[in-house]
Amino acid sequence: MNDIQKAQYNEKYKRAKRNGEKFFPDTLYKDLLIAIALFLLLVGLAAFIGVAAEPRADPSDTTYIPRPEWYFLFLFEMLKFFPGSIEWVGTTIIPGAAVIALLLLPFYDKNPNRHWKRRKFALTFMSVVVAAMVFLTIRAVITTPPQKDVGAVATTLPAKIAAGLDFYSVQCNECHGAEGEGGVIKGVKGLEGFKMKPINSQDEMYTRSDDTLYNIIEYGQPSLGMPPFGKAFGGELSRSDIGNLVTYLRYTWDNRVELPKEAAQTNAIPTLGPTDIPSYDVNIAPIVKRYCVSCHRPGKENNNYVMGSYADVMNSGDHKPNVVPGDLNSNLIRMIHREKIDAGGEMPPTKALSPDLVAIFERWVKAGAPEKPKK
Amino acid sequence: MARSSNVTRRGFITSVMAFAGSIMGVVVGLPIIGYLISPALNGAKTDAWVPVGKLDNYPPNVPTQFSFTRTKVNGWEKTVNSYSVYVLRGDGDKIKVLSTVCTHLGCRVSYSKDSDTYACPCHDARFSREGVVLSGPPPRPMDQYETKMDNGTLFIRVLAS
Amino acid sequence: MISKRVFPWLDERLGLTTIYKTTLDRMVPKVNWWFTLGSATLFLFVMQLVTGIMLSVYYVPSPDKAYDSIEYIMTGVAFGWLIRGIHHWGATLMVITVFIHMLRVFFYAAYKYPREITWTTGVFLLLATLGMGFTGYLLPWNQKAYWATTVGTSIAGSVPGIGDFILRALRGGSDLSAVTLARFFSAHIWMLPAVIIALIGVHLYLVIRLGISSVPKEND
């Protein structure tokens, strides 16, 4: 811009100002309204959408699909167009050039005109760039495969303890017993007859830190018979699963640790009032999950009796029916009374169910073994 | 005319701005206060019966020290608190469990056999074997724990906020 | 009335009237709603500042504890969800407003004489805002954060010749580690905010000194 053009511009701007308005209040009120609107939007987003809980960082999890924050997606997507050998064009040259082009824009854009009709090239160019960014962002959203579903993330202590208990029931019960009591292992390939020491004792809990427990579960102790449970070593548990499991162990068996009140209730198996009729969904399923499923699930030695659902608990396996409604001589009832019958031995093998739990089973069978609670 | 309308407009915008500002201040400010003081309000309370061993382990009439730890969750961390008590088994079933925390400013007292007193190193306070203040600034006798016996094992009730 | 005596006394020493005259009581060209984007961004930045300072009360920048401390903010502390929610969404909105603000300035050619430096500081502010987004993304130390930063820093590492060096400088070593988290934290709460506040100062000074650009007319 030469001096004449500058003077011309200054003159015009002065006129625009003279015909303008006071910054306060005439202009500022718009900013004020926008600020209020943004504020409401922010509080609304925070309150109604919030921030989704994500699992803890896990460098060993190779299945996670990395994805940047949405406003970097266009850059990320652009890299798909640059094969390995010229990748640096996409990562360095183009973004670098874009930044420099933006920074220096006022210095190389010598066009003195300001109205859009007289700046068609610049505006077309920018529109193409913005359209490309939008296109790439949308394309990235559409083409990236969805994240593998990891299920709900336990974020509160009660939720973690509950999740830990679930993992314990499935993964640990068959050798360590439902209460960590140990005993002689039955029906586990390779460990038949092995005498397992209790793991719920002070000896164990006081001398093993959370990290130690974590490592034992993740890597296992193969020389002592314990297989690894961490995903990275062929097990089924992710890092946060193992973390939840350790939390459960610590809060359940370490008597130095204080279980917060709200957490104490999540673990409890629902109790029955004297006139309540037990149902599978409310009363039986939690007991089965905690004491039976560890062995009675597919892939274990259990005479094909799996206990994953109401139908399977009632009628599955080599000795069905397992539960006959109303009949206290059903196989299941006789076996939890630790009778040895054709269908098998005493159940659970390591330790008898407490009388309260046996009573719940009996009342349930007597009442016709209903699946759903009565309304 | 134009001027006066501009002035009222200005006053109006100012008050709207002040109003909106205070609303935002309240909507964000009050939660922030709650956010800052929340740990002070929601701290986990300790209330537990802690075993301190078989009563037979404690010789009569000699204060014997017993230490234990409790773990509680503070925020994102498990805090281990150490406790130390003196168990004094008197004649018969009379049992006194005294906290080693000095009632003055929280220093730890220790028992000395020679003088048969507890001494606090901070301000030279002395307590008798039974926990009564003999000399120094403490405002009250040493704190006692509630006790109970269960199957030959002595339990004390630990209360802490 | 007391204010009748206190105000002149203060004014004499602080120059309040002068500040009022130069910042608020000045004539500006008539402009439209698109001209609110700058102040909207500023407003969002202030919100980020307030909520960010609040988050730092409980947040711990260590791989062992970052995740737990954020979980505590979300579930343990009163209104923690609100503070983090505002910070999270504020970041997204701020990127949007800052970008549209840039497009508005471009469309109205407001970067031309005499506002070249305003534009340049603005571009730096845009970059700093993106930097805030990038560094802040790692802090929760969750899966998303960890892997996005792994990839993001690798992208910086693909620069020919000095890529490996840049990668190590960003990560503070060859791997994403506690050092990375600490330096991202420092960048996020000290370096970039300092840069942004300084640049906003210059940016606003220039906006007031040069005046708001006017909407171009057909013959401009």
Side-chain angles (χ1 to χ4, degrees):
Chain A
M1 245 179 154
N2 58 37
D3 287 344
I4 302 165
Q5 286 166 328
K6 283 182 186 173
Q8 257 175 7
Y9 172 77
N10 286 334
E11 190 49 45
K12 275 184 188 164
Y13 185 68
K14 227 178 248 168
R15 216 179 310 137
K17 254 186 5 185
R18 221 175 13 247
N19 298 332
E21 57 192 12
K22 286 275 186 189
F23 177 67
F24 173 70
D26 300 319
T27 308
L28 206 55
Y29 89 94
K30 288 185 197 142
D31 299 298
L32 173 69
L33 286 180
I34 293 289
I36 295 172
L38 279 175
F39 182 78
L40 293 177
L41 181 61
L42 269 184
V43 174
L45 285 169
F48 296 111
I49 300 186
V51 189
E54 276 279 317
R56 187 187 293 272
D58 184 354
S60 71
D61 182 356
T62 47
T63 62
Y64 197 85
I65 304 162
R67 208 170 309 173
E69 185 67 306
W70 67 268
Y71 40 83
F72 291 121
L73 273 180
F74 74 96
L75 271 178
F76 200 62
E77 184 71 10
M78 190 177 72
L79 299 183
K80 286 191 186 159
F81 299 94
F82 295 95
S85 54
I86 56 158
E87 195 198 15
W88 53 276
V89 175
T91 57
T92 316
I93 302 294
I94 293 180
V99 167
I100 291 172
L102 269 185
L103 274 175
L104 300 181
L105 173 65
F107 305 102
Y108 61 78
D109 179 6
K110 297 288 185 195
N111 180 356
N113 300 314
R114 297 180 187 233
H115 194 265
W116 63 268
K117 281 190 179 161
R118 302 163 82 177
R119 297 172 56 232
K120 280 186 180 138
F121 173 73
L123 289 175
T124 313
F125 187 79
M126 187 58 124
S127 309
V128 170
V129 171
V130 173
M133 287 167 71
V134 173
F135 167 75
L136 285 173
T137 306
I138 293 172
R139 190 172 185 273
V141 173
I142 294 172
T143 57
T144 326
Q147 206 66 254
K148 204 179 59 180
D149 188 23
V150 286
V153 182
T155 58
T156 59
L157 189 57
K160 284 182 191 175
I161 293 176
L165 171 59
D166 285 354
F167 291 122
Y168 184 88
S169 305
V170 174
Q171 307 279 346
C172 318
N173 251 9
E174 52 179 348
C175 295
H176 292 288
E179 266 112 39
E181 70 274 6
V184 178
I185 299 177
K186 286 177 194 164
V188 181
K189 250 180 231 147
L191 291 167
E192 193 71 42
F194 187 90
K195 189 161 186 307
M196 177 66 69
K197 64 177 175 172
I199 55 167
N200 56 5
S201 65
Q202 271 194 15
D203 282 8
E204 297 287 325
M205 282 295 134
Y206 282 32
T207 56
R208 281 154 178 73
S209 68
D210 284 359
D211 284 347
T212 310
L213 291 176
Y214 184 97
N215 288 337
I216 292 175
I217 297 168
E218 182 171 33
Y219 299 104
Q221 293 183 319
S223 62
L224 300 177
M226 170 142 169
F229 285 88
K231 261 187 189 152
F233 306 94
E236 295 176 28
L237 300 180
S238 76
R239 290 198 158 201
S240 34
D241 298 342
I242 300 178
N244 291 337
L245 191 44
V246 171
T247 307
Y248 165 72
L249 299 180
R250 184 64 69 197
Y251 277 94
T252 315
W253 296 330
D254 191 331
N255 59 9
R256 296 167 305 176
V257 178
E258 288 164 15
L259 186 65
K261 262 196 214 98
E262 70 272 17
Q265 323 214 319
T266 50
N267 271 344
I269 286 172
T271 48
L272 272 176
T275 56
D276 293 346
I277 296 172
S279 68
Y280 174 82
D281 281 356
V282 175
N283 305 92
I284 301 300
I287 306 177
V288 168
K289 191 163 133 194
R290 182 138 160 209
Y291 292 93
C292 318
V293 167
S294 184
C295 301
H296 289 280
R297 61 184 173 127
K300 299 283 170 182
E301 242 174 69
N302 48 29
N303 292 338
N304 300 318
Y305 182 31
V306 292
M307 300 179 80
S309 68
Y310 177 72
D312 284 347
V313 168
M314 302 297 286
N315 256 320
S316 73
D318 304 340
H319 301 280
K320 60 190 175 185
N322 312 298
V323 178
V324 180
D327 181 5
L328 285 184
N329 281 321
S330 299
N331 287 347
L332 186 140
I333 297 296
R334 290 177 68 184
M335 287 165 85
I336 61 175
H337 275 299
R338 311 193 80 64
E339 283 178 43
K340 285 196 172 131
I341 53 176
D342 293 344
E346 36 198 37
M347 285 289 151
T350 46
K351 191 184 171 202
L353 288 181
S354 75
D356 302 353
L357 299 183
V358 174
I360 293 178
F361 270 104
E362 287 183 339
R363 276 170 66 178
W364 173 61
V365 171
K366 250 194 266 178
E371 181 179 7
K372 306 267 179 224
K374 270 210 177 104
K375 297 261 161 66
Chain B
M1 179 64 205
R3 188 181 155 72
S4 80
S5 83
N6 213 351
V7 168
T8 37
R9 193 169 147 78
R10 192 167 303 179
F12 174 71
I13 298 286
T14 311
S15 33
V16 170
M17 216 181 252
F19 180 70
S22 1
I23 297 276
M24 287 185 209
V26 170
V27 172
V28 170
L30 289 183
I32 280 181
I33 293 172
Y35 176 84
L36 287 175
I37 63 173
S38 139
L41 305 176
N42 305 337
K45 301 244 189 304
T46 300
D47 180 359
W49 286 98
V50 176
V52 294
K54 296 276 180 208
L55 189 59
D56 300 340
N57 297 346
Y58 294 99
N61 290 317
V62 182
T64 312
Q65 197 169 2
F66 181 86
S67 300
F68 59 94
T69 60
R70 301 289 300 167
T71 308
K72 71 177 180 187
V73 183
N74 276 313
W76 54 90
E77 184 72 283
K78 287 202 203 93
T79 313
V80 178
N81 294 316
S82 298
Y83 293 80
S84 186
V85 297
Y86 279 103
V87 179
L88 175 61
R89 189 176 162 199
D91 306 322
D93 285 344
K94 226 182 78 186
I95 300 158
K96 216 173 215 185
V97 180
L98 297 168
S99 161
T100 57
V101 177
C102 180
T103 51
H104 180 220
L105 289 174
C107 298
R108 299 297 169 117
V109 303
S110 60
Y111 177 72
S112 135
K113 243 183 203 155
D114 301 335
S115 60
D116 193 22
T117 55
Y118 304 93
C120 177
C122 291
H123 300 93
D124 267 345
R126 281 181 186 279
F127 300 89
S128 76
R129 199 201 312 172
E130 303 280 323
V132 179
V133 184
L134 297 176
S135 67
R140 60 175 195 277
M142 285 164 71
D143 291 328
Q144 277 194 44
Y145 284 100
E146 200 181 324
T147 61
K148 77 173 180 193
M149 291 295 301
D150 187 9
N151 214 356
T153 303
L154 177 63
F155 284 82
I156 61 171
R157 188 179 189 189
V158 178
L159 288 166
S161 55
Chain C
M1 239 170 85
I2 251 188
S3 64
K4 279 237 166 87
R5 294 177 45 183
V6 172
F7 183 77
W9 189 89
L10 284 175
D11 191 26
E12 200 179 346
R13 283 153 184 84
L14 301 176
L16 298 176
T17 310
T18 320
I19 295 176
Y20 174 74
K21 285 229 160 94
T22 44
T23 59
L24 293 175
D25 193 30
R26 60 193 162 99
M27 292 300 285
V28 292
K30 280 205 172 88
V31 289
N32 58 32
W33 284 89
W34 292 103
F35 285 70
T36 58
L37 285 159
S39 74
T41 312
L42 180 62
F43 172 76
L44 289 170
F45 177 70
V46 172
M47 292 295 289
Q48 293 300 87
L49 211 59
V50 172
T51 51
I53 289 171
M54 284 305 129
L55 287 175
S56 78
V57 172
Y58 295 107
Y59 176 75
V60 182
S62 109
D64 291 342
K65 290 296 166 204
Y67 185 84
D68 297 315
S69 63
I70 288 197
E71 207 166 75
Y72 178 61
I73 291 173
M74 293 301 281
T75 60
V77 187
F79 297 110
W81 58 270
L82 178 66
I83 311 261
R84 180 163 179 237
I86 292 179
H87 201 73
H88 175 92
W89 287 105
T92 284
L93 288 185
M94 196 170 154
V95 170
I96 297 176
T97 56
V98 96
F99 188 74
I100 306 180
H101 180 50
M102 191 267 286
L103 289 181
R104 192 277 290 167
V105 171
F106 183 85
F107 183 76
Y108 285 142
Y111 58 87
K112 298 190 174 182
Y113 170 86
R115 299 185 182 81
E116 296 93 333
I117 301 177
T118 323
W119 168 268
T120 312
T121 53
V123 174
F124 278 120
L125 278 167
L126 171 68
L127 295 176
T129 306
L130 293 177
M132 288 296 268
F134 184 64
T135 51
Y137 205 55
L138 177 66
L139 301 188
W141 204 253
N142 54 31
Q143 283 283 68
K144 228 175 170 173
Y146 182 89
W147 292 106
T149 309
T150 305
V151 174
T153 45
S154 305
I155 288 176
S158 67
V159 180
I162 52 167
D164 191 49
F165 171 74
I166 295 179
L167 178 89
R168 287 160 160 280
L170 278 175
R171 292 187 182 173
S174 51
D175 305 308
L176 207 63
S177 66
V179 184
T180 322
L181 181 57
R183 60 179 52 216
F184 271 52
F185 177 68
S186 171
H188 189 77
I189 75 160
W190 294 119
M191 302 176 197
L192 287 171
V195 168
I196 289 180
I197 290 170
L199 285 173
I200 286 180
V202 178
H203 202 72
L204 285 184
Y205 166 75
L206 289 172
V207 167
I208 291 169
R209 179 180 146 72
L210 303 170
I212 308 171
S213 65
S214 50
V215 180
K217 298 207 178 67
E218 280 220 35
N219 57 358
D220 281 333

